[in-house]
Amino acid sequence: MADKADLDFTYTTIDKIFRLSMGETADYSGAKYDGDFSMSLEEAQKEKNRFIADSLNIDGESKVLDMACGWGPFSHFITKERGAISIGLTLSKGQAEACQKNGLNVFVKDCRYVKPEDFGTFDAIACIGGLEHFCSVEEWKEGNQEKVYSDFFRTLNDLLPKGGRFYMQTMTFSKNMIDFEELDVKAKKGSAAHVMALMVKEFPGSWLPYGPEMVIRNAEPNFRLISQSSGRLDYIETISQWRKKFRKFNLKKYWLYLSLVPKYVIDKEFRHQVAVFKISPNKICFEKEIMDHYRLVFEKI
C-alpha cells in the first residue's frame, strides 16, 4: 500500500496551504450535496458528516475510530456535535500535527494493522477515503488486491462488536477505465491516459478498487451491506469548490507557493504534483466516468 513516505508526499506537502485555503479542520474528501448545488461547500461537508454519524448510530456514549482521518473534520464533528469519543489515525505527519494542535486525539499509524490491544475496541469505525491507498499498483499486478481488502475487513471484524457499523467512502474505477499500459504523463493533456497517469503520480503506492462490488464481496462473510450510494456528481462539485478556495488570494498562502519554486525546478515528481493542481485529474476522471465514488455502510453480522 501507500506507505508513510507516499502519504507525506501527497498530504504533508500541502498541509499549510490546505489549512490556509480550507480551514484548520476542513474536509479533503467528497461532500454530500445530493443534487442541491446551491449549498455551500461547508454546508455540504457538514451534511456528509451528519449522514455518516447517523448511519453509524453515533451518540454521546460512542467510541469511534476515524481511519485515515485527514485534518480531522469527522472527528471534530462527532466530538463537538455528538459528544462522542474519537481516535483518529493518519500516515501523514503534517496532518497528525495539525490535528493534535487543534485538540484532536490523532496518531500516526497504519490503520490496516490496528489491533484491539492498541486502542481497545470501538462502537463504530469510519474510513473516509482511506481504502484508495490500501492497495499498491504492485500488489494489484501480483493479483493480491482482493486479499488486501479481505485482510482489512478481518481487521475491522476484530475491532467491532456484533452489530457494530463501519462507514467507507472511496473512489473506484468505473466503466471507462483504460488498461494500465495506456497510462502516460506525456499523452494528450486531458485524455484518459494523461489524467490517469497523473492520478498515479498524485497518489504514489495507491490503486483503486474495481467498482463497489469488489469491496462488498471482500466484506463477506462477517459484514452485510446496509446502504450504498454514488457520490460522483457531488465530488465533481466538491473539487470545483476546492479549486476556487486554493486559488483565492492570501498573502501567506501565496508566499508558501513561491517558496516551493526551487522544489518545482529540481524535482520532476513534484512538477507532476503541480500539474495535478492545475487540471484536477480526479475531476476529469469523474466527468469521463473513468472513476466513480461510493458511500458504503456495513454492519458486522
Side-chain angles (χ1 to χ4, degrees):
M1 69 169 287
D3 60 17
K4 187 178 183 302
D6 293 329
L7 274 295
D8 272 328
F9 174 78
T10 301
Y11 296 113
T12 301
T13 300
I14 65 166
D15 168 53
K16 291 180 181 178
I17 292 170
F18 177 85
R19 288 185 287 117
L20 285 169
S21 301
M22 309 292 293
E24 286 292 319
T25 58
D27 277 272
Y28 203 35
S29 61
K32 193 171 190 292
Y33 292 90
D34 284 340
D36 182 7
F37 298 120
S38 67
M39 296 172 66
S40 70
L41 175 62
E42 291 74 19
E43 289 171 335
Q45 292 289 18
K46 190 169 184 177
E47 182 58 32
K48 176 190 70 183
N49 289 324
R50 184 182 297 113
F51 169 76
I52 299 170
D54 289 345
S55 297
L56 297 179
N57 302 319
I58 293 174
D59 58 27
E61 297 181 356
S62 300
K63 180 184 175 186
V64 184
L65 181 60
D66 186 5
M67 293 178 158
C69 67
W71 283 273
F74 182 64
S75 287
H76 182 266
F77 178 85
I78 60 175
T79 55
K80 300 299 182 185
E81 300 285 336
R82 302 293 171 94
I85 296 169
S86 178
I87 292 175
L89 304 178
T90 178
L91 277 178
S92 164
K93 180 182 177 183
Q95 288 181 334
E97 289 178 348
C99 288
Q100 292 160 4
K101 185 187 74 172
N102 287 306
L104 298 174
N105 195 21
V106 170
F107 302 88
V108 176
K109 188 172 181 61
D110 189 333
C111 60
R112 293 194 309 170
Y113 304 115
V114 182
K115 296 180 173 57
E117 50 264 37
D118 294 325
F119 306 105
T121 56
F122 297 86
D123 301 301
I125 299 175
C127 185
I128 306 169
L131 190 81
E132 298 153 9
H133 305 301
F134 286 1
C135 180
S136 68
V137 172
E138 291 73 24
E139 286 170 313
W140 165 70
K141 286 182 175 179
E142 292 167 359
N144 291 325
Q145 188 170 21
E146 303 258 0
K147 183 179 185 301
V148 167
Y149 300 149
S150 61
D151 286 349
F152 175 62
F153 274 97
R154 279 194 285 273
T155 294
L156 294 172
N157 184 59
D158 292 338
L159 295 171
L160 287 168
K162 184 177 180 180
R165 289 196 173 184
F166 168 62
Y167 175 86
M168 171 178 289
Q169 188 165 300
T170 186
M171 294 186 285
T172 69
F173 292 129
S174 193
K175 61 183 181 180
N176 294 327
M177 176 54 181
I178 60 176
D179 290 338
F180 180 81
E181 290 72 21
E182 297 179 49
L183 274 57
D184 185 357
V185 292
K186 296 180 181 179
K188 180 182 177 182
K189 289 187 178 180
S191 66
H194 178 245
V195 294
M196 272 307 306
L198 285 180
M199 287 296 295
V200 172
K201 295 292 185 182
E202 182 180 8
F203 300 109
S206 304
W207 194 248
L208 300 181
Y210 285 82
E213 300 81 11
M214 177 178 271
V215 179
I216 294 165
R217 67 173 171 263
N218 282 285
E220 299 172 347
N222 296 317
F223 290 86
R224 67 185 181 100
L225 182 69
I226 298 295
S227 69
Q228 169 186 326
S229 59
S230 171
R232 182 178 68 87
L233 298 180
D234 286 351
Y235 218 150
I236 291 170
E237 177 65 18
T238 301
I239 295 168
S240 296
Q241 296 304 318
W242 283 342
R243 288 172 66 86
K244 292 178 183 178
K245 289 181 178 292
F246 273 113
R247 291 173 177 175
K248 186 176 181 181
F249 182 76
N250 173 294
L251 185 60
K252 189 174 181 180
K253 179 173 68 177
Y254 272 73
W255 178 254
L256 285 170
Y257 282 144
L258 286 173
S259 73
L260 293 171
V261 170
K263 186 177 178 69
Y264 179 85
V265 172
I266 65 175
D267 189 336
K268 183 175 72 173
E269 293 305 316
F270 184 68
R271 290 198 292 274
H272 290 143
Q273 191 83 336
V274 172
V276 165
F277 280 94
K278 283 184 177 179
I279 72 168
S280 295
N282 48 349
K283 180 174 181 286
I284 298 172
C285 285
F286 289 134
E287 290 169 342
K288 292 178 177 289
E289 294 189 73
I290 299 166
M291 296 185 340
D292 208 324
H293 177 259
Y294 282 91
R295 309 178 184 105
L296 305 171
V297 182
F298 295 94
E299 185 174 273
K300 181 176 173 179
I301 300 171

